Amino acid sequence: MSRLRNSRERRDFDRYLEAAFGSSTAEKLTEHLVDMVVPTPFRLRMKVVFCDENLRSVLGFQASSNEIRVSEAELVSFTIRGQVGTAHRHEVTARAAFLPTEHANVTVAVSVARHEEWQLVLRLFRRRYPALVPIYLAQRELIETVQALSKETDGLGIKVREITAREKLGEDALRRLKSVREWTEESIATVLETAADRRQSFASITLGFYRRAGETLHPAPAAICKISRDAQVQVTGRFAMVWSTAVRRIASIGAAKLASYGHRGLRERKYVAAPLEIRFRSAVLKELADVRQFIDIIGRYPHSMRSVQHGNPYAHVRVADLFDGSSFDIWSLDAQSIAIVPQLRATNASINRLIHYIFDRFREGDVREYTAE
Amino acid sequence: MSANTQQSSYYTEVREGVDDYTTTVHAVLCFAACVLHNGVGFIAGTEFGSGRRMMTSEHNVVQPATVVTPDLVAQKSAAYGIVAEVKVSLPRDRERWREHLEQLRKYDDDLAGWWSEAGTVSSWNAVLLIEQARGRVVVKALEELASERPEMVGPRSAVVEFNRADQANPYLFFRSAYGSISDVELASKLEEGVKIPRDKVLRGFPAIRFYDARPPLELILDTLWPDFFPPLSIGKERDDATGGIPLDVNVDDVSRELQLAYGSGALKRDERSSEFPRRVWVREAFKCLTDLGLAIELEAGSRYKVLFRPFREDVLQTFCEMRAKRVQKRSEPITDQMDLQLEDRPRPDKG
């Protein structure tokens, strides 16, 4: 990994990025990214998103105080300028582009940026929800993505460098979680084993790729790759390797999820209900305290309206998503599952957001159709 | 009682009412499953409906040649069917129980309107589905009536108790408490008692929220506010003068959509089917919104401008508090007024 030594080099690198992101096509930008060695503190940052609208219109819609300039070339790229920071507000500029995937409505926002510039891009995406729908990975999907990447390393050695996760705050504290960030140099298998023992739920896993001489690994990584549950991937190099394994995989997961969550509102189905079930691996709603915890969590669902119909000893809550007017009836009539019954309107974005929230704040489970057995 | 305590007790009462209503909806569906389901699925050729328009015979001892709309009409075969009325609760005044027993007598008749060519069946039962806590006293009342006025208790009338087991895996339990069920298989099932998990019913009928009896007003409000209005409000600007997002809505359109999504439209229908939730109930909900300052009547009873705004707190609770405050402002005794409003609760007295 290189480091920019002075302001002149920074200016030059900035000009290089401007030229690269000014490419007319996705193929040309990709060619630049494949060869790019990204100097610290920059990272090649990607976020997989779902969008079934015109990207240019979505980006240009209701431009806020941030100044957005969208390219007119075939490649959808944009420059955004805005304020960041709380104590020391200052202006930054970020460049990003959307690279297509093999799935029609799934695209990858890509940027070479420092942390704060990337935050500006992410903030823009949050403001464009639900037109731009974030993709979320379940724990299992994140682990499978990391494992897939570890099998395609172009002969490089691989170690986990860092994890961020949530785990139980002590054995007695059944319902309280703490966030952990740990640095390590262990193998993926060891980290996964430890995580299973500690019942950790990963937020991100950072891998290091190392050149090897026989069985001996170079001490400095040739590239670093961080994969997060919110479908963000950051690399310092080896773009092609990461794209072809991790990013494509995340795009496929996202496309499949969003497709399965689509067309579930009663209106668009001629009033035939299409409920979903989250099936947990154990009876997580057996005790009244579990049901109360679940209702409490749903009660804090952001940007929503709620109505608790029943809370003891089973749960029945009505939830309206105020982003797009979707609404759901949520039932727990079985200690091991939750039924989500989409109401008059239910977009795939809102189902995706609700399920991710339940996974993130309560428990993860398998999503399937809720039908007569 | 302080104003806050009054609001809170009203909310508790309404929530219980909503819960009772939902349980009744599930009891209707569960009992239909009990009669018509063979453990794998609904038996081919069986039919059921709620609020189906049936006609009493010329010889009906209560009301001859009249249209009745039982909570449940379930036809198990070409020859046998059940009409049932569900009661989760009964009024304290026992004299008023007679109305329900009379209704049972009215249903114990060679009713017309079944799903057969002639519209009749050769064998039937009229069932009063009663919450278990009231089962014994109702049976006693029925036995007393049978000895005092034998003609007022029909030969095919029966009482089936049901018990809602509210646990993590809730179910409804049905058991015979009075009378003889004509269908041998069903009689044997009900003699021993049958558990129907609510989860199974929800799987089969996930969106049904209403049946052919007046729901608590708040249940309709709690359907309109978080479900019907939010999609209409997307992309619309808030009106600074009123503080709400103005939505122009038509009571007919709303009623039709609620029926299709959560009521009669979610069940198999024909010309004898009732439509619920009824337009009149939906119109009352809009009148209530007007009263609460959340809507403006544009055309008498048919078109309203709703001033939609998201509620921060629980929607049902917010409506209860708003209604209770409204009553207090009018300086009327809250309990009396609420009692009057609650009087309209699921106490279907139809037919």
Side-chain angles (χ1 to χ4, degrees):
Chain A
M1 280 185 297
S2 62
R3 182 174 286 276
L4 298 173
R5 287 171 298 181
N6 52 45
S7 57
R8 187 182 57 79
E9 284 190 357
R10 287 197 177 186
R11 274 199 307 276
D12 289 348
F13 186 63
D14 200 46
R15 272 203 291 274
Y16 172 74
L17 291 180
E18 193 177 349
F21 279 85
S23 299
S24 56
T25 63
E27 289 75 23
K28 284 183 181 158
L29 174 61
T30 305
E31 281 170 24
H32 292 297
L33 299 176
V34 166
D35 293 333
M36 195 179 285
V37 176
V38 183
T40 302
F42 289 86
R43 291 280 186 275
L44 199 167
R45 299 172 194 267
M46 291 167 269
K47 182 166 173 67
V48 188
V49 292
F50 179 93
C51 180
D52 56 8
E53 296 177 33
N54 180 290
L55 274 171
R56 273 198 179 81
S57 314
V58 169
L59 288 172
F61 176 71
Q62 279 186 353
S64 58
S65 57
N66 295 316
E67 193 181 308
I68 304 166
R69 203 152 34 86
V70 185
S71 72
E72 286 172 8
E74 185 190 319
L75 172 72
V76 182
S77 65
F78 63 95
T79 306
I80 178 169
R81 201 168 63 208
Q83 298 279 327
V84 293
T86 45
H88 305 287
R89 298 283 288 170
H90 59 286
E91 194 174 83
V92 296
T93 302
R95 282 182 200 85
F98 286 100
L99 295 181
T101 67
E102 53 209 318
H103 307 282
N105 297 325
V106 179
T107 180
V108 182
V110 56
S111 177
V112 176
R114 283 171 285 210
H115 174 77
E116 58 185 14
E117 293 153 2
W118 182 239
Q119 293 311 306
L120 196 62
V121 175
L122 295 181
R123 194 166 74 196
L124 170 71
F125 289 180
R126 280 196 295 275
R127 287 176 180 168
R128 292 297 182 267
Y129 176 87
L132 274 185
V133 184
I135 284 166
Y136 300 110
L137 302 176
Q139 168 102 335
R140 177 177 48 80
E141 291 160 346
L142 175 64
I143 290 171
E144 284 171 1
T145 303
V146 166
Q147 286 171 331
L149 181 57
S150 71
K151 288 175 189 153
E152 304 285 340
T153 60
D154 296 342
L156 296 168
I158 189 166
K159 283 194 280 196
V160 176
R161 286 174 64 89
E162 185 190 329
I163 61 139
T164 55
R166 264 194 263 179
E167 66 179 46
K168 278 202 293 184
L169 187 63
E171 269 312 301
D172 298 332
L174 284 173
R175 286 162 197 92
R176 292 174 63 198
L177 299 171
K178 65 175 176 181
S179 296
V180 293
R181 184 179 184 188
E182 292 173 354
W183 288 266
T184 172
E185 287 206 333
E186 293 170 317
S187 68
I188 294 172
T190 308
V191 168
L192 295 183
E193 211 170 290
T194 310
D197 287 346
R198 290 165 59 180
R199 296 178 69 183
Q200 286 179 328
S201 172
F202 291 117
S204 70
I205 300 176
T206 306
L207 303 170
F209 299 99
Y210 300 83
R211 288 190 187 84
R212 59 164 80 231
E215 288 304 303
T216 310
L217 299 184
H218 192 288
I224 291 172
C225 172
K226 179 179 179 180
I227 304 177
S228 311
R229 282 185 68 174
D230 58 354
Q232 284 192 59
V233 180
Q234 300 175 19
V235 291
T236 58
R238 305 277 171 175
F239 169 79
M241 179 182 85
V242 173
W243 177 275
S244 64
T245 51
V247 178
R248 283 181 64 193
R249 188 182 186 91
I250 294 170
S252 297
I253 290 169
K257 259 185 203 178
L258 270 296
S260 73
Y261 297 160
H263 308 292
R264 289 191 180 265
L266 288 169
R267 274 188 187 136
E268 59 182 323
R269 295 177 56 86
K270 293 186 176 160
Y271 305 98
V272 175
L276 288 165
E277 174 181 20
I278 300 176
R279 190 87 190 153
F280 302 105
R281 278 157 214 130
S282 58
V284 297
L285 289 158
K286 198 174 171 187
E287 305 296 331
L288 179 58
D290 300 321
V291 175
R292 285 198 170 138
Q293 185 206 12
F294 177 71
I295 288 172
D296 185 47
I297 286 169
I298 295 295
R300 283 181 274 124
Y301 186 46
H303 215 66
S304 74
M305 250 192 317
R306 287 90 40 204
S307 175
V308 178
Q309 309 286 303
H310 201 103
N312 178 4
Y314 64 86
H316 177 199
V317 191
R318 192 159 298 147
V319 177
D321 185 328
L322 296 175
F323 276 116
D324 65 6
S326 297
S327 58
F328 308 93
D329 256 18
I330 304 175
W331 293 82
S332 76
L333 291 179
D334 170 345
Q336 212 174 329
S337 73
I338 288 167
I340 297 174
V341 185
Q343 307 288 289
L344 289 174
R345 175 182 163 93
T347 63
N348 54 3
S350 65
I351 296 176
N352 186 48
R353 185 169 88 93
L354 179 64
I355 289 177
H356 172 70
Y357 179 77
I358 293 171
F359 278 16
D360 193 44
R361 300 300 166 97
F362 184 65
R363 300 281 198 295
E364 272 194 16
D366 297 317
V367 181
R368 56 195 201 187
E369 301 291 332
Y370 183 72
T371 50
E373 287 166 335
Chain B
M1 212 192 292
S2 74
N4 282 346
T5 315
Q6 284 185 331
Q7 285 168 23
S8 158
S9 98
Y10 179 55
Y11 169 54
T12 307
E13 206 174 337
V14 167
R15 207 170 130 172
E16 279 170 11
V18 168
D19 188 42
D20 279 354
Y21 188 86
T22 304
T23 298
T24 309
V25 172
H26 282 188
V28 168
L29 297 170
C30 281
F31 194 62
C34 176
V35 178
L36 310 176
H37 205 277
N38 60 9
V40 182
F42 279 90
I43 302 163
T46 61
E47 303 280 358
F48 80 94
S50 178
R52 185 174 180 77
R53 285 187 283 269
M54 307 289 278
M55 179 70 85
T56 60
S57 71
E58 295 291 337
H59 312 290
N60 192 291
V61 295
V62 182
Q63 269 183 315
T66 310
V67 173
V68 291
T69 55
D71 287 344
L72 174 69
V73 180
Q75 187 170 337
K76 194 181 176 194
S77 65
Y80 179 73
I82 268 189
V83 286
E85 200 66 17
V86 188
K87 298 279 173 261
V88 172
S89 57
L90 286 170
R92 286 206 183 100
D93 178 9
R94 289 199 176 203
E95 278 308 304
R96 287 178 54 193
W97 293 13
R98 294 269 166 139
E99 294 167 23
H100 300 306
L101 301 181
E102 221 171 67
Q103 192 180 36
L104 185 67
R105 183 65 189 98
K106 190 161 50 177
Y107 292 170
D108 190 353
D109 188 14
D110 187 8
L111 298 174
W114 297 91
W115 292 266
S116 62
E117 231 169 83
T120 55
V121 288
S122 54
S123 171
W124 66 85
N125 281 111
V127 173
L128 179 62
L129 274 176
I130 186 84
E131 218 273 331
Q132 203 168 27
R134 297 278 187 177
R136 288 232 169 146
V137 282
V138 166
V139 168
K140 203 174 164 199
L142 199 61
E143 285 167 346
E144 283 169 8
L145 184 64
S147 64
E148 288 166 23
R149 297 173 63 197
E151 77 284 2
M152 288 310 291
V153 180
R156 298 177 185 86
S157 295
V159 176
V160 171
E161 295 175 332
F162 73 94
N163 174 27
R164 49 180 180 178
D166 281 351
Q167 51 189 37
N169 298 49
Y171 60 84
L172 291 171
F173 178 75
F174 297 93
R175 190 168 55 195
S176 295
Y178 175 88
S180 160
I181 299 288
S182 310
D183 182 82
V184 179
E185 190 206 358
L186 183 63
S188 148
K189 263 206 276 192
L190 288 172
E191 191 59 38
E192 286 177 25
V194 192
K195 273 185 193 176
I196 310 280
R198 286 173 86 163
D199 174 61
K200 300 254 184 210
V201 169
L202 193 66
R203 282 177 189 277
F205 305 95
I208 290 189
R209 197 177 290 173
F210 301 100
Y211 75 118
D212 187 38
R214 181 191 296 275
L217 182 65
E218 288 81 358
L219 182 60
I220 297 186
L221 295 175
D222 195 25
T223 299
L224 295 174
W225 207 258
D227 187 14
F228 195 92
F229 298 145
L232 300 178
S233 72
I234 300 300
K236 294 204 171 119
E237 293 294 319
R238 195 170 68 100
D239 174 33
D240 288 336
T242 59
I245 301 169
L247 310 172
D248 196 342
V249 287
N250 182 301
V251 174
D252 282 342
D253 295 343
V254 176
S255 307
R256 201 164 26 247
E257 187 147 41
L258 295 187
Q259 287 162 7
L260 286 168
Y262 309 119
S264 49
L267 296 172
K268 198 172 164 187
R269 307 185 65 236
D270 59 23
E271 69 282 356
R272 284 190 173 271
S273 306
S274 295
E275 286 172 349
F276 54 85
R278 294 182 193 164
R279 187 184 179 279
V280 63
W281 307 339
V282 177
R283 197 176 59 206
E284 279 169 19
F286 276 95
K287 280 190 174 160
C288 176
L289 290 176
T290 310
D291 193 39
L292 296 174
L294 295 169
I296 297 163
E297 194 175 42
L298 299 176
E299 282 171 27
S302 66
R303 206 160 68 83
Y304 290 82
K305 185 199 279 183
V306 175
L307 306 170
F308 177 74
R309 60 184 167 86
F311 292 162
R312 281 174 180 272
E313 303 300 328
D314 186 285
V315 176
L316 190 61
Q317 187 171 2
T318 306
F319 274 122
C320 289
E321 286 170 2
M322 289 171 96
R323 293 195 74 197
K325 272 184 196 162
R326 194 79 186 162
V327 173
Q328 280 165 351
K329 264 191 186 171
R330 289 176 185 154
S331 309
E332 290 165 12
I334 185 168
T335 45
D336 291 350
Q337 177 138 357
M338 293 307 165
D339 279 350
L340 283 172
Q341 288 161 347
L342 294 169
E343 198 74 355
D344 269 349
R345 285 278 168 69
R347 208 173 53 74
D349 188 17
K350 305 163 281 139

